[in-house]
Amino acid sequence: MPQRQHDGSTPRRGGLFRRGSVGATPAAPGTTRRTTYVVDGRLTSAPPHTSIADALRFSQEEPGRIALCLFPDPTVADIAELADAWGLHPVLVEDLQVAGQRPKLERYGDVLFLVVRSARYVDEAEEVDFSEFHVLVRPNSVAVLCQDGRWVDGSDDATLPRNAETADHTLLDDSELLGLGPEAVVYRLLDVIVDGYTPVLRGLAIDREQIERQVFSGDAAVAERIYRLSQEVIDLRHATSSLVDVVAALRKGFDRYGIPEALQTYLQDVADHLTLVDGRVSELRDSLSQILNVNATLVSQRQNEDMKKISGWAAILFAPTLIAAVYGMNFDNMPELHWALGYPLAVGAMIAFAAGLYITFKRKKWM
């Protein structure tokens, strides 16, 4: 049984990963798979209802060919057909059937398997929405499975353009890059995903600034908002840090798998961008942690101020209560009981003690 090996590579350009493209052929009934052929870097039409086995044979007939099988919403039957046509290892097939994985890179013989996750920020809910992609690469063939039924930008079938001619060509619009081999498709996908992290960080940073203002305004609900936003940042951190490992593994495989030098340059650009993104995520996480500590400190200070006021008023009320308690003991031999000025003197003493304590506490800023 072949062992899992970790290796790696990527490029850098922008755009969105969408369904339609010139030359994309709808799959057979019952599946959403779309097949696209690339010949010497140029898109070409695939025959209607092309099977995965047909696409694999096409890519192997002559040099310079690439077959891309795109699965917008992969089914069990899709995975079974792909496994049969490509001769996939049972462990790999099992991975393809399980979503919710962290980014990783594994190699089974001549098949490279990547799990990557794109992200978009939903500002209304203050949540980071992730989309998971499983990518399989073998000589002259690429398969991309969208495990969440969404694209890199979060679009689904309801919002995608229906006309294949006008759809975004993110993965296949650079003939020079595609001429470097099937790894170019992987690089383009990684680059779009990494670029997509930037607006997510921007949205999180705006919310962090709002939280800072909330903290110093004394909003009692801010602690919950900090915790929720911190969880989103932690999830993003898991995605970016794991992707850093994937890109590093790809770079280690340059020499072993004969990756063209031009693609190595693209990967270096993606790696640099990803390093910056990962660093910003770490800084944002640390910043939220500091804000949480500041909020805890301010809450403690406000509680101390409240306790000072409570203690001050308790002391002010204690003096009159003490005097009233003495004269309320009902002893027979109390000389003050028969004084004509006893009552006004007792009340005056109460007021004087209370006023004196209030002035003292006020000067010490306890009140």
Side-chain angles (χ1 to χ4, degrees), residues 41-282:
R42 297 186 301 274
L43 304 184
T44 184
S45 298
H49 308 311
T50 300
S51 68
I52 298 176
D54 293 337
L56 182 61
R57 283 192 295 270
F58 172 85
S59 67
Q60 294 175 339
E61 286 176 352
E62 296 181 13
R65 291 184 174 184
I66 300 175
L68 171 64
C69 293
L70 187 61
F71 298 82
D73 190 12
T75 63
V76 174
D78 287 331
I79 295 175
E81 182 184 358
L82 180 63
D84 183 63
W86 283 33
L88 299 180
H89 192 280
V91 175
L92 175 53
V93 176
E94 182 180 347
D95 274 351
L96 292 176
Q97 295 172 342
V98 179
Q101 303 181 48
R102 284 192 184 185
K104 64 179 181 179
L105 181 148
E106 296 170 349
R107 186 174 289 276
Y108 297 84
D110 64 345
V111 177
L112 181 68
F113 173 54
L114 296 95
V115 176
V116 292
R117 302 183 73 191
S118 67
R120 68 186 184 97
Y121 192 58
V122 183
D123 188 56
E124 298 79 9
E126 292 188 357
E127 293 180 353
V128 180
D129 188 22
F130 295 94
S131 298
E132 183 176 333
F133 301 89
H134 292 181
V135 184
L136 298 172
V137 185
R138 64 178 303 162
N140 302 326
S141 296
V142 181
V144 179
L145 291 79
C146 309
Q147 291 292 338
D148 297 304
R150 295 193 301 265
W151 311 105
V152 172
D153 64 344
S155 302
D156 54 24
D157 285 338
T159 56
L160 289 173
R162 297 296 181 180
N163 188 344
E165 295 292 335
T166 60
D168 195 342
H169 300 167
T170 299
L171 299 182
L172 305 172
D173 65 349
D174 191 326
S175 59
E176 181 179 353
L177 187 62
L178 290 175
L180 300 176
E183 293 85 359
V185 178
V186 179
Y187 298 163
R188 292 298 302 273
L189 177 59
L190 287 175
D191 181 60
V192 173
I193 288 176
V194 172
D195 284 345
Y197 290 144
T198 299
V200 174
L201 287 170
R202 188 180 304 118
L204 290 171
I206 291 173
D207 286 333
R208 181 201 61 191
E209 294 172 358
Q210 294 175 349
I211 284 175
E212 288 177 346
R213 289 194 290 269
Q214 269 187 284
V215 165
F216 290 103
S217 68
D219 190 341
V222 70
E224 181 182 356
R225 188 180 182 189
I226 295 173
Y227 277 117
R228 287 192 288 103
L229 197 66
S230 295
Q231 186 59 57
E232 300 303 318
V233 173
I234 290 173
D235 291 341
L236 183 61
R237 169 67 173 165
H238 290 163
T240 59
S241 61
S242 298
L243 191 57
V244 168
D245 295 336
V246 169
V247 173
L250 285 171
R251 295 178 64 187
K252 290 180 180 178
F254 280 166
D255 296 332
R256 185 184 305 174
Y257 300 104
I259 303 300
E261 186 175 349
L263 287 182
Q264 297 182 28
T265 302
Y266 288 131
L267 177 64
Q268 179 61 52
D269 189 39
V270 171
D272 292 343
H273 191 194
L274 181 58
T275 299
L276 293 175
V277 168
D278 190 54
R280 289 180 60 189
V281 174
S282 298

Side-chain angles (χ1 to χ4, degrees), residues 19 25-35 48-51 70 78 81:
R19 177 173 181 171
T25 298
T31 178
T32 59
R33 186 185 75 251
R34 300 180 66 84
T35 304
H49 308 311
T50 300
S51 68
L70 187 61
D78 287 331
E81 182 184 358

